[in-house]
Amino acid sequence: MTQARPSNRKLWYALLSIHLLVLAGLLAWVFLQTRPVAMHDLHLAEGEKLKCVSYAPYHRPGQTPFDLKLVIPREQIAADLAALAKVTDCVRLYAINQGLDAVPEIAREVGLKVLLGTWIGFEKEKNAVELDRAIELANANADVVRALIVGNEVLLRRERTEDEMRALIAHAKAHAKVPVTYADVWEFWVRHDSLAKEVDFVTVHILPFWEDEPVDIEHALAHVADIRQQVGKHFAGKPILIGETGWPSAGRQREESLPSAVNQARYIREFVHQAHDQGWDYNLIEAIDQPWKRALEGTVGGYWGMLDATHLQPKFPLAGPVQERSSLLPPLAGALIGATLCLLLALRHRDEDAGVRLAALAAIGAVAGLVAVLHAEHALLAYRNPLEWGLLGGIAALGSLSVLLLTQWRGQPLPSAAQAWRMQRETPRAMDCAARLGLLRGVLLFAAAIAATLLFADPRYRDFPSLLYLVPALMFGALSLRQAQAARAERICAALVAVCVVLRWSSEPANLQAICWLITGLVFALPVLFNAAGKDQKG
């Protein structure tokens, strides 16, 4: 026993140093989020508004276009359009079912114009019915409907061929009393440019964030201007509408393209200024945040709106500096509560390493509390259903439980997860704190391996789960390096984590979120892989 105490003291010093560095880094990052960022002020002329914004009414809890029985109440649509009429002259629709056929009439009442869209998909018969209904609605409201948009990104989704779209557009042209167009990503318009002969104007989508090679916010507006010029030359003589452009306020970073409230405000302000200065016709995506889109596009899909989904309030002003975070209080309170709780629990056991042990546990608790608040903020934005709340919330709870157990740990080597599980089954009363920590490490390492594999194999719409695994990675990484014994299964999980985080980062090396995930994964995995004691374990 006399040989173990110096070793434990070094371990506590290592844990203290690591967590103080991480705590300083997290606090600096949170502080930077509260700093106001100066940017271009958007001063529209007297009475001037945004030209057009995409409108979908599915912003209340449980509302989704996938619910075929859902009909949006007319009162909700009227309230939405009344709010939008204060900032825009026009709204763009993508379909006319589920109560959206009431939009033209309500738009007339509040002084809005409408770009009326009809949804074109895989089902031919349904397409024909929907198109005829849209033509009828447009003709009945020709004073309000600026144009009929026959399909949205149909060629991009490969749900209809160019010839089929040509026939649908021709049918609309023959029967509609309003201009007719088709909307798609600018590359697909260029590839299928013969369709330009069939439409009254070309509607292109230019979204720097979603480009095959994502564009950083620093270059986003120059990219839009360049593409708008190219499209104008390619379709010379044909009017051009930028049918979708915008920037998300939250979600997964794509290479150097970072979703954030500051970047969204900057993009909208600078784009609108440029568009009005250049005389471009445009439609911003979108009016109101759409939480249901997270099911299709991950977290980022739900946060393209200029108004929040809950209160229909602007997410940023059109003038003055913008900050990412309004207050430091929640994360600071989380850090303080975490540190206090760990100290109170740790005071139940005293030994000759008490000083450094208490300091280390206070630092670990502060990091855990701060991360818990940051992760809770992310969960409110990202988690989409009870399953995700249960699974991911459970992993977060296990990470916090690990920290609380560490306050009772007396320095014994952690058994492998397999050994701890056998102990739990055979002699549950023999399960001490070290055994519980060993079991938790195995569970969390397994969960991290699944997360890393999924993110590597299917990354486009998955968030980087750095906050979910940061606390276990720091704590178990240190314990694995000095104390723990890893079984073969754990080393396999660790190898998966290490390989997948490196491969994920290598495809987008400038992505800060990918870098954080790389560091988190390696800190968790490498000590397990290089632990000499672990090589002798079988299980």
Side-chain angles (χ1 to χ4, degrees):
M1 294 297 292
T2 57
Q3 298 292 327
R5 293 193 182 279
S7 170
N8 290 335
R9 178 178 287 273
K10 291 178 181 179
L11 180 60
W12 288 120
Y13 273 121
L15 285 166
L16 174 61
S17 301
I18 292 168
H19 283 82
L20 285 178
L21 285 173
V22 172
L23 181 62
L26 288 173
L27 289 175
W29 175 56
V30 170
F31 174 76
L32 287 174
Q33 288 185 317
T34 65
R35 295 182 62 185
V37 178
M39 61 184 68
H40 175 83
D41 290 345
L42 180 60
H43 296 296
L44 298 176
E46 183 69 28
E48 188 178 22
K49 299 178 182 179
L50 303 175
K51 290 188 181 294
C52 201
V53 296
S54 293
Y55 169 67
Y58 312 102
H59 55 85
R60 294 185 179 178
Q63 292 182 339
T64 169
F66 299 126
D67 181 1
L68 301 181
K69 297 180 181 180
L70 174 68
V71 176
I72 302 297
R74 179 186 174 89
E75 295 76 16
Q76 178 185 333
I77 295 175
D80 291 349
L81 296 188
L84 293 176
K86 299 175 183 178
V87 297
T88 185
D89 289 322
C90 162
V91 293
R92 175 186 171 182
L93 303 182
Y94 293 81
I96 57 169
N97 58 342
Q98 297 179 305
L100 283 167
D101 54 353
V103 168
E105 181 181 346
I106 299 172
R108 181 184 293 109
E109 295 171 0
V110 297
L112 288 172
K113 297 294 184 181
V114 179
L115 291 171
L116 190 69
T118 181
W119 190 259
I120 302 297
F122 280 116
E123 303 176 57
K124 286 187 177 182
E125 293 183 2
K126 185 177 180 180
N127 291 340
V129 171
E130 291 295 310
L131 182 56
D132 285 340
R133 288 183 62 230
I135 292 170
E136 181 181 354
L137 186 63
N139 289 343
N141 297 275
D143 61 318
V144 172
V145 176
R146 281 181 51 190
L148 174 62
I149 303 177
V150 182
N152 180 70
E153 298 185 352
V154 184
L155 297 174
L156 171 67
R157 299 193 308 273
R158 295 177 172 83
E159 292 182 352
R160 296 266 71 86
T161 66
E162 180 178 339
D163 288 339
E164 288 173 317
M165 289 308 304
R166 183 179 291 105
L168 291 170
I169 295 168
H171 176 77
K173 283 277 291 180
H175 296 87
K177 299 177 181 177
V178 300
V180 173
T181 186
Y182 164 68
D184 213 323
V185 176
W186 66 271
E187 296 103 321
F188 278 79
W189 253 113
V190 172
R191 294 177 198 173
H192 303 276
D193 53 9
S194 67
L195 288 179
K197 300 176 183 178
E198 310 296 334
V199 298
D200 292 295
F201 58 92
V202 173
T203 300
V204 296
H205 297 170
I206 309 176
L207 297 159
F209 180 84
W210 281 131
E211 293 283 15
D212 292 337
E213 296 183 6
V215 182
D216 183 9
I217 189 66
E218 295 293 333
H219 310 292
L221 271 300
H223 172 78
V224 172
D226 179 58
I227 297 302
R228 175 60 179 80
Q229 183 180 36
Q230 291 183 38
V231 171
K233 290 181 178 179
H234 192 89
F235 298 101
K238 208 77 172 179
I240 304 295
L241 166 67
I242 300 178
E244 283 185 2
T245 195
W247 197 273
S249 62
R252 183 204 194 282
Q253 183 173 346
R254 298 188 70 233
E255 297 186 22
E256 296 183 58
S257 295
L258 176 65
S260 72
V262 168
N263 286 349
Q264 184 183 56
R266 176 179 174 181
Y267 183 88
I268 296 298
R269 288 187 188 184
E270 293 183 6
F271 170 81
V272 173
H273 173 77
Q274 180 172 261
H276 287 214
D277 187 56
Q278 298 292 329
W280 297 341
D281 196 6
Y282 66 86
N283 171 75
L284 297 173
I285 186 167
E286 59 197 319
I288 306 169
D289 280 344
Q290 299 291 302
W292 66 272
K293 284 188 178 180
R294 296 176 300 172
L296 296 177
E297 302 173 359
T299 303
V300 73
Y303 299 99
W304 288 75
M306 297 179 62
L307 307 181
D308 69 73
T310 304
H311 305 292
L312 299 188
Q313 293 299 309
K315 290 161 61 178
F316 56 86
L318 294 181
V322 179
Q323 58 195 109
E324 199 69 33
R325 178 183 293 275
S326 60
S327 173
L328 283 171
L329 184 59
L332 290 179
L336 179 60
I337 291 171
T340 302
L341 181 58
C342 283
L343 279 176
L344 291 175
L345 291 172
L347 285 173
R348 295 173 58 186
H349 299 284
R350 304 299 296 269
D351 54 35
E352 64 184 47
D353 295 331
V356 65
R357 176 173 167 268
L358 291 176
L361 288 171
I364 294 169
V367 170
L370 175 56
V371 169
V373 171
L374 297 178
H375 179 260
E377 293 174 349
H378 175 261
L380 290 171
L381 293 175
Y383 291 2
R384 299 170 291 190
N385 50 53
L387 178 62
E388 289 189 352
W389 277 101
L391 287 178
L392 302 179
I395 293 170
L398 290 179
S400 298
L401 177 60
S402 299
V403 173
L404 299 181
L405 282 174
L406 186 65
T407 65
Q408 309 303 302
W409 180 60
R410 308 301 298 151
Q412 312 95 319
L414 274 61
S416 70
Q419 289 177 322
W421 179 247
R422 283 195 295 268
M423 191 182 302
Q424 169 65 28
R425 293 176 59 189
E426 297 170 4
T427 56
R429 292 185 179 181
M431 285 282 287
D432 58 8
C433 186
R436 292 187 176 92
L437 283 170
L439 183 59
L440 282 175
R441 183 191 64 171
V443 171
L444 290 167
L445 194 57
F446 175 71
I450 293 176
T453 302
L454 290 174
L455 188 58
F456 165 67
D458 183 25
R460 185 175 176 89
Y461 301 128
R462 296 185 186 276
D463 291 351
F464 290 94
S466 303
L467 289 173
L468 196 58
Y469 293 101
L470 177 60
V471 171
L474 294 172
M475 189 179 80
F476 287 117
L479 295 179
S480 295
L481 192 62
R482 294 294 304 277
Q483 294 281 335
Q485 297 176 343
R488 181 182 296 115
E490 290 171 281
R491 296 202 304 275
I492 291 173
C493 289
L496 271 175
V497 172
V499 170
C500 288
V501 298
V502 170
L503 291 176
R504 178 71 270 135
W505 161 79
S506 65
S507 65
E508 40 187 332
N511 185 333
L512 291 177
Q513 292 181 359
I515 293 171
C516 290
W517 177 232
L518 170 71
I519 295 171
T520 300
L522 292 181
V523 168
F524 203 171
L526 291 185
V528 175
L529 291 175
F530 292 105
N531 184 315
K535 296 177 182 178
D536 297 327
Q537 296 298 313
K538 299 177 182 178

